[in-house]
Structures are given as C-alpha cells and as structure tokens.
Amino acid sequence: MTVNDDVFTNWKHREEIAESMIPLIGKLHREQDVTVLVHSRSLVNKSVVSILKTHRFARQIAGEELSVTETMPFLAALTELDLGPSQIDIAMLAETYKADSRGLSVAEFTAEAVSGATGPNKVERSEGRDVVLYGFGRIGRLVARLLIEKAGSGNGLRLRAVVVRNSGGEDLVKRASLLRRDSIHGQFQGTITVDEANNTIVANGTEIKVIYSDDPTTVDYTEYGIKDAILIDNTGRWRDRAGLSKHLQPGIAKVVLTAPGKGDVPNIVHGVNHDTVKPDEQIISCASCTTNAIVPPLKAMADKYGVLRGHVETVHSFTNDQNLLDNYHKADRRGRSAPLNMVITETGAASAVAKALPDLNAKITGSSIRVPVPDVSIAILNLQLATEADREEVLEYLRNVSLTSPLRRQIDFIDSPDAVSSDFIGSRHASIVDAGATKVEGDNAILYLWYDNEFGYSCQVIRVVQHISGVEYPTFPRAAV
C-alpha cells in the first residue's frame, strides 16, 4: 500500500465516522433540543463532508487539526445522558479533556462538564414563542431562513407571519421565490411551497402567513392565532420609540429593530450588553451590522489592555439604499452608481459604541467607504491602548477569546495568507479577526475585522430574539470568564 493509499483509507475511515455522527446529532436536536457544535459551529443538518470540513477548520483557530475520531466518543457519551435544551461544543469537550489529568473516562468527564444541562439543573423545554417579520428584504429573508432552520426541534422560536406591502400580481409567488433562491447565500436548504388561496408560504413544514399591510396600526395579529409574539422590524422605517410602538398591536408583545435605534431605544449587541435588557422592555434595537462587528473585539481589547481612543474605518459592501446607476438620492454621494464606484459615506457605528459599552471612556470616531461588492465588509479598528502590547501576544489573546470566552459566538479568528472577502459569506460570527493583517506597535493596535454584514448580523439578531424570548439555551462546556 502506498502513502497515498494510506491517506485515502484514513479519509474514508473519517467519512464513515462522520456519517455515523449524523443520526446522533439529529436525534439529540429533535428529541432533547440539544445543538451539537464544533468551535461554535453547529453540526445540525450538516452533510458528511460539512462535518469533516468543520473539524478541519479548527486548524485556523486552534492551531491544530481536530479529527472526528477525537470528538465522536464525546458525542456518543452525550447520547447516554438525560440532557435538557442546550448547546454543547464537542471540540471544547475534547480539548479540555486532553488538559485534564484526573484520569476520568470520556463518559465521566462529559457528564461532569455538561452537568448544568442534566438532572435538576437542566432548562425546561420551551413551548415556543411566536415571531412575526415586518418587512421581507435582505435581512428579513435571512432571518426567516435562520428561524426555519432552528425550528427542527419543535421548540423555541416559531415564525408565524410576514407583513409586507402588496406589490401586485404574483406577489406571494415572487416573495417565496426570493426566499428559495439567493444570489449571494445560495439555495434555501429544504422545500418551499405556496398556498395562494390562504396567503401562506410553507417552508420545511413551517406555515408562514403573509399579511398585506402598509400601516402597522391596522393589523390585529390575534386574528391569525398569533399571541405574545416578538415582531422583528426589518424595514428601518421607524427607529424611535414612538414609531416602533405602532407595532404593539393585539398579539405583539415586543418589537426588535434591525437597525440602529434612536433616542432612548436600547441598542443591543449580543454577547456584550444583551443581559442589560429589562424583562419589561418592549422595544429594543440590534444596532447596525458594523456596530455588531466592532463592539465585541473592542470590548475584548478594552478588558485586556484598556483603550484610550480609537477610529474605525469600514470598507462596506453596497446596499439597497444606493443606486445601481447615477440617479437622485437624498444623501450625499449615495446617488452615484454603487457597482461602479467607491463611495465615501457616514457610519453611525462609532457613536453607537457608547450605548453598547457605556463604561468605555475612550472616544471612538468612524467613517465608511461603500465598495462594489454585494456582501461582506471589513472594519479597520485603529486603537490607542492604555498599555503597550506585543503583536503575537495580542493575536494569542484574541485567538483564545474566539475559542473559550463568553464572546466566542461573536468573535472568530483566521490566520490564512489568502483570505479575501468572499471567504466569509455565510459566517455566523459578528466579526472575524484577520491575524495576518493585524498590526501592533507599542500602544497602537490595528485590527482588521471581516464580517458578513447580512448573514452574520442576522445571526446576532436571532441571538437577541432568543434571549428576550427566554429560549436562549446555555452552552457547555462553560466559557472562561
């Protein structure tokens, strides 16, 4: 047998193991509401090759490859436990087990590491929470995909309706088609059917009522069997409390805005200040995609080194707010053709930092350049630190933050010399630290932070909605503080 034969045989063996993992992952998700992760990446509904690629990607963030032969014993051990709703990272189980010197078996170690999700400690399964989407554009459709994807356990969030303006003939069919096919994010993973007689889209068994209205005050959601729902406003038409309060009609309990809120509307970045949301707060904002990208790494750097001041320059993909070709626009420069120009514009992300990080005394300024790419942006965060630092030390710190800290779902880490923007389409993190581009000299640190301004942001929105709805399940092993 040649060396190449050995490599191929090893690959086939790992394929076999990954294939055997799929029914275990699916059963845990359906029956116990447990999501199995590898370094914060879900393995639910993934193919054999996707499972293997997710394990291999561990090299980029943990420094060494992770094999399914290492994680499979921990997955098997989980199936023997009486688990409650939770997220369990089998990569972290495998790595912390290596560092444990007590001589415990895999089963003993696993039971101890996830004890917060078993027996009297486990979270009770939720009956589910109704969700309504107001607007069905770029963010609305991606949020819908995520809600449908997470409906597999039958618990948690339930997408009940979408509210849109009737655009005329075949409106329902065309909206279903846009949900089914996306030029950037690809095909919807599943089946979609249209029931025109009942104004309903059925996606993977989820019935979504399409309600036609251009005035939120005219809709009584209880007429559609919707109650105590969270409404996600994806239009950005209203941003203050008075405007967003229009959504608080019968059947709606809370409103979440997918744009920066104005006035006294709390701007929430999950992972940073989501725990400050008061239980009786009815209206909140998820801030902007750029705010979500810069605030978690800014907090991480402030916690470790202190930050005296900073400037963020976002190189941002173009959006629907711009024109395809030169035409009138109320804002400066945005009337010029988006696919043909770099367009200097403003960003509110820097000023929004104060709402998300009120204890940060540093002055943060910001500006933005829109560029001719349809998705994925990069924020260049230039910081003056309170203490001097070393580049390798900063990178090792941020790598560890991405792996083991409470911000591990927000911050990702990559060390690839050939990484470009399209590599991050579909990233579920708020931002990805580019190790190769990072610069540190004395008290000056410049971080290059990639982010999928559509999908990564939508994931942050879902996390906030899960939190305020009470279906945000704990993650094990517990993150280091």
Side-chain angles (χ1 to χ4, degrees):
M1 182 177 288
T2 67
V3 172
N4 286 340
D5 288 336
D6 286 340
V7 172
F8 184 68
T9 299
N10 178 265
W11 169 260
K12 299 300 287 184
H13 176 59
R14 285 185 287 140
E15 271 191 324
E16 184 180 359
I17 294 173
E19 188 172 356
S20 68
M21 296 174 93
I22 291 174
L24 303 182
I25 294 167
K27 187 175 181 181
L28 283 168
H29 185 62
R30 286 191 310 275
E31 297 184 4
Q32 294 172 275
D33 220 355
V34 173
T35 300
V36 178
L37 311 171
V38 166
H39 288 313
S40 299
R41 291 163 169 80
S42 172
L43 297 185
V44 175
N45 292 329
K46 295 296 187 291
S47 67
V48 168
V49 172
S50 293
I51 291 173
L52 293 174
K53 285 180 69 175
T54 302
H55 278 72
R56 184 167 175 77
F57 187 77
R59 290 182 311 146
Q60 294 287 351
I61 48 181
E64 58 183 0
E65 187 156 348
L66 180 69
S67 172
V68 288
T69 59
E70 297 175 76
T71 58
M72 179 61 180
F74 296 92
L75 177 60
L78 292 175
T79 64
E80 300 298 320
L81 299 173
D82 179 25
L83 294 167
S86 55
Q87 299 186 98
I88 300 178
D89 196 318
I90 55 176
M92 294 306 299
L93 284 175
E95 292 192 6
T96 52
Y97 180 67
K98 285 180 187 176
D100 191 87
S101 59
R102 294 174 294 164
L104 299 177
S105 67
V106 166
E108 291 169 336
F109 180 85
T110 302
E112 179 182 276
V114 303
S115 60
T118 59
N121 299 320
K122 67 183 181 182
V123 175
E124 292 299 321
R125 299 185 76 175
S126 168
E127 293 183 359
R129 186 72 177 268
D130 290 351
V131 177
V132 173
L133 299 181
Y134 197 95
F136 208 45
R138 298 298 303 151
I139 299 302
R141 292 194 297 273
L142 291 178
V143 168
R145 284 189 174 201
L146 287 164
L147 289 168
I148 294 162
E149 171 192 297
K150 295 177 183 299
S153 65
N155 297 281
L157 304 175
R158 301 179 300 197
L159 176 56
R160 298 294 308 281
V162 170
V163 184
V164 292
R165 288 180 290 186
N166 195 329
S167 299
E170 296 192 326
D171 181 275
L172 188 66
V173 173
K174 289 182 179 294
R175 292 188 188 278
S177 182
L178 286 169
L179 179 61
R180 183 183 289 115
R181 303 175 182 88
D182 191 286
S183 300
I184 296 169
H185 301 282
Q187 295 277 339
F188 174 79
Q189 296 300 305
T191 64
I192 292 176
T193 57
V194 177
D195 181 355
E196 290 189 84
N198 293 300
N199 278 351
T200 300
I201 297 172
V202 181
N204 290 358
T206 297
E207 289 188 341
I208 308 163
K209 191 74 174 179
V210 178
I211 302 170
Y212 291 110
S213 174
D214 58 3
D215 182 354
T217 64
T218 65
V219 185
D220 182 346
Y221 294 93
T222 60
E223 292 180 358
Y224 304 94
I226 296 168
K227 60 180 182 178
D228 196 34
I230 296 173
L231 183 144
I232 304 174
D233 184 329
N234 307 290
T235 68
R237 183 176 171 186
W238 304 278
R239 296 194 179 188
D240 60 10
R241 186 173 296 276
L244 292 168
S245 293
K246 295 178 181 180
H247 290 302
L248 294 172
Q249 301 303 315
I252 303 299
K254 295 179 184 291
V255 179
V256 174
L257 172 65
T258 62
K262 295 182 178 180
D264 66 343
V265 175
N267 280 253
I268 303 301
V269 175
H270 190 274
V272 175
N273 67 335
H274 65 276
D275 56 355
T276 65
V277 179
K278 298 175 182 177
D280 60 350
E281 179 60 74
Q282 289 185 292
I283 296 173
I284 65 170
S285 156
C286 289
S288 70
C289 55
T290 303
T291 303
N292 277 264
I294 65 172
V295 166
L298 180 57
K299 173 176 167 49
M301 292 297 288
D303 288 347
K304 176 74 172 179
Y305 301 104
V307 172
L308 300 180
R309 65 173 292 115
H311 176 80
V312 59
E313 186 78 37
T314 71
V315 182
H316 199 290
S317 58
F318 61 76
T319 69
N320 275 332
D321 177 62
Q322 295 171 259
N323 291 333
L324 284 174
L325 295 172
D326 290 0
N327 208 346
Y328 172 80
H329 195 294
K330 63 181 181 180
D332 294 343
R333 307 184 203 247
R334 291 198 187 191
R336 302 300 300 277
S337 172
L340 300 179
N341 296 288
M342 293 189 291
V343 179
I344 297 174
T345 187
E346 73 282 347
T347 175
S351 58
V353 168
K355 279 192 171 185
L357 288 173
D359 294 335
L360 182 71
N361 294 320
K363 179 176 176 56
I364 306 295
T365 58
S367 53
S368 177
I369 303 173
R370 297 286 179 90
V371 294
V373 295
D375 187 30
V376 180
S377 305
I378 189 166
I380 305 166
L381 188 58
N382 193 332
L383 302 175
Q384 181 186 354
L385 306 177
T387 57
E388 293 194 354
D390 172 79
R391 179 176 182 273
E392 294 307 316
E393 172 198 342
V394 169
L395 288 177
E396 185 61 23
Y397 168 65
L398 291 175
R399 184 199 298 272
N400 288 332
V401 167
S402 76
L403 289 172
T404 63
S405 82
L407 291 171
R408 62 188 180 188
R409 297 174 72 193
Q410 283 69 44
I411 300 176
D412 204 1
F413 186 94
I414 190 165
D415 188 6
S416 172
D418 291 318
V420 294
S421 61
S422 61
D423 296 331
F424 306 103
I425 292 174
S427 169
R428 295 181 181 234
H429 288 78
S431 64
I432 305 101
V433 176
D434 191 313
T438 299
K439 295 174 174 56
V440 180
E441 184 174 346
D443 64 353
N444 179 237
I446 305 175
L447 307 183
Y448 286 73
L449 308 166
W450 298 100
Y451 58 108
D452 184 329
N453 48 276
E454 294 187 335
F455 197 72
Y457 176 68
S458 297
C459 290
Q460 283 286 89
V461 172
I462 290 293
R463 289 170 189 139
V464 169
V465 174
Q466 287 177 319
H467 176 72
I468 65 173
S469 67
V471 296
E472 184 180 35
Y473 300 141
T475 301
F476 299 94
R478 292 292 192 185
V481 178

